[in-house]
Amino acid sequence: MKLSNRLLEVANFVPKDSIVADIGTDHGYIPVFLVENNISNKVIATDISEKSLDKTVNYIKELNLRNNIEPRLGDGLETIKPCEVDTIIMAGMGGILIIEILEKNKDIRDSITHFIFQPMIASNELRKYLIYNNFKIIDEGLAKEDNKFYEIIYARRGEDYIEEDIYYDISKKLIDKNHPLLKEFIEYKINILNNILEELKDKESKKSKDRFKEVKGLKMRYEEVLNNIESY
């Protein structure tokens, strides 16, 4: 099967021959891709929504992959036993929700080797959580679909640090490998900040003025990173 750009970028981080749990699998596209492409022989596909999981059940039956993909109904990591899988995927959910799932089931979390995250929002908060909770960010990716950008984070357990706060917002991994979408991604983020500044510029409340100053400072830091990239 052919995955979307976003899901393909996620799947590309899965180590070959790993045992995978796809948390919040929805249609089950990633598990099917991993099995059909001999990346993983065993995938547990979980979802909190019975309706969503039914889509996966029907899909794997249609493809005769029931021996390789096991659907499970449940919340977060609660459907997984410690040491049952070595890789988890959490794609298409918010960064804060990912943090909550990791915190809720620490015994299971700590038995897993590879973590692949694709936060829809709050990627900076997720990076902060990882750095301060003994995760090492190994690599990152970017994907673009329908004029939207998606960040993918591949992490393992281990010590790590972030050199400057701006790298919580713009991945140092993407900068170091000069990702082909990075310049466009930063310009996209700067444009969002410009829109916020435009909305705030005539507001007189202290809260609005403080927010204006905060956003303007962040925009300047984005522009510094962009200038450094363009000078390579």
Side-chain angles (χ1 to χ4, degrees), residues 1 8 17 52 56 86 188 203 210:
M1 69 168 297
L8 181 60
D17 298 324
S52 292
T56 300
D86 54 54
Y188 169 81
K203 296 187 176 179
D210 289 345

Side-chain angles (χ1 to χ4, degrees), residues 6-227:
R6 174 178 70 92
L7 295 184
L8 181 60
E9 187 74 9
V10 171
N12 284 340
F13 282 107
V14 177
K16 187 169 175 55
D17 298 324
S18 57
I19 302 172
V20 181
D22 182 24
I23 309 300
T25 192
D26 195 21
H27 288 76
Y29 293 148
I30 288 180
V32 168
F33 179 87
L34 295 177
V35 171
E36 288 188 336
N37 288 273
N38 298 312
I39 298 169
S40 177
N41 189 50
K42 173 68 175 178
V43 183
I44 298 170
T46 84
D47 209 290
I48 194 172
S49 165
E50 186 172 1
K51 184 176 179 180
S52 292
L53 195 66
D54 283 344
K55 299 173 187 175
T56 300
V57 172
N58 293 332
Y59 190 35
I60 63 177
K61 282 182 180 178
E62 177 186 333
L63 297 174
N64 196 27
L65 294 175
R66 285 173 290 183
N67 291 333
N68 305 96
I69 302 172
E70 181 183 347
R72 294 184 187 175
L73 182 66
D75 185 11
L77 300 178
E78 291 179 358
T79 59
I80 309 298
K81 300 172 185 175
C83 302
E84 188 175 21
V85 302
D86 54 54
T87 302
I88 63 165
I89 297 169
M90 295 189 203
M93 62 184 76
I96 302 301
L97 178 56
I98 291 173
I99 292 169
E100 290 173 353
I101 290 172
L102 293 173
E103 278 292 290
K104 193 174 180 181
N105 301 100
K106 290 183 179 180
D107 57 333
I108 299 168
R109 180 198 72 184
D110 293 344
S111 74
I112 294 164
T113 304
H114 308 282
F115 300 81
I116 301 161
F117 306 116
Q118 185 270 298
M120 300 297 283
I121 57 172
S123 58
N124 57 339
E125 295 296 328
L126 178 56
R127 289 189 187 95
K128 287 178 183 177
Y129 171 83
L130 295 174
I131 296 302
Y132 286 107
N133 287 273
N134 199 35
F135 285 85
K136 182 175 180 62
I137 297 175
I138 305 298
D139 200 0
E140 296 207 27
L142 264 180
K144 184 181 180 185
E145 286 180 17
D146 301 325
N147 295 317
K148 292 183 179 180
F149 291 89
Y150 300 94
E151 301 168 83
I152 296 89
I153 301 170
Y154 168 45
R156 297 184 65 174
R157 302 294 289 169
E159 294 183 2
D160 202 358
Y161 71 99
I162 294 290
E163 299 168 13
E164 300 179 36
D165 284 350
I166 189 62
Y167 297 139
Y168 289 117
D169 292 275
I170 302 173
S171 166
K172 187 66 162 56
K173 299 295 183 184
L174 298 177
I175 296 171
D176 288 344
K177 65 183 182 181
N178 194 22
H179 194 285
L181 287 175
L182 181 59
K183 181 175 180 291
E184 187 181 356
F185 176 58
I186 297 174
E187 290 171 341
Y188 169 81
K189 290 172 78 73
I190 289 173
N191 186 57
I192 292 174
L193 295 180
N194 281 333
N195 291 336
I196 296 172
L197 291 172
E198 186 65 26
E199 291 178 4
L200 291 171
K201 69 177 183 179
D202 296 323
K203 296 187 176 179
E204 296 297 327
S205 70
K206 183 179 184 303
K207 183 177 179 181
S208 295
K209 288 182 177 181
D210 289 345
R211 177 62 175 156
F212 184 92
K213 183 177 179 181
E214 176 189 353
V215 172
K216 189 173 182 179
L218 183 58
K219 178 191 169 186
M220 290 176 62
R221 292 193 291 275
Y222 281 2
E223 289 172 338
E224 288 175 6
V225 174
L226 185 60
N227 289 335

